[in-house]
Amino acid sequence: CTEGELVYNDKNYERFGEVISFVNVAVVAMLFLISMSAKNTIMFGLSWHVYFMMNFMNPSLGVPHGQEGTEWFLTEYFVVEATTVLGAIVAII
């Protein structure tokens, strides 16, 4: 595929995708707000969730890939997940 090209055209997403994505963002935002967490934790969680949902809802982005040989290792998603897990381990210790 090329940049700007529709990567995957799903009939169900066309019918329900925007509504389900909006409900997902609203429910997760509500859960963050009623969780009684610290303000910075809520802001961090909401910002990442909204960022990932905006990428998910944009059909022209597709799946990110790294350079050849490191396709799974240097993707944006792997780096975010790795630093999140590392941060959680440090916080627990």
Side-chain angles (χ1 to χ4, degrees):
C1 63
T2 61
E3 186 175 343
E5 179 184 359
L6 189 62
V7 178
Y8 182 68
N9 192 9
D10 184 5
K11 298 287 185 205
N12 290 324
Y13 185 80
E14 289 178 6
R15 293 179 59 199
F16 306 113
E18 292 178 4
V19 173
I20 290 173
S21 298
F22 178 75
V23 169
N24 177 281
V25 171
V27 167
V28 171
M30 182 184 69
L31 290 174
F32 270 116
L33 294 174
I34 65 173
S35 70
M36 304 297 287
S37 296
K39 183 177 179 181
N40 60 344
T41 305
I42 293 171
M43 290 171 45
F44 176 80
L46 280 175
S47 66
W48 275 111
H49 183 69
V50 169
Y51 168 74
F52 282 126
M53 285 305 293
M54 286 189 309
N55 283 341
F56 175 75
M57 291 170 50
N58 186 353
S60 64
L61 285 179
V63 178
H65 296 286
Q67 296 175 357
E68 206 139 320
T70 59
E71 292 181 5
W72 65 273
F73 190 67
L74 292 179
T75 61
E76 181 178 345
Y77 296 108
F78 175 77
V79 173
V80 170
E81 288 179 21
T83 55
T84 301
V85 169
L86 182 64
I89 290 171
V90 169
I92 290 171
I93 294 175

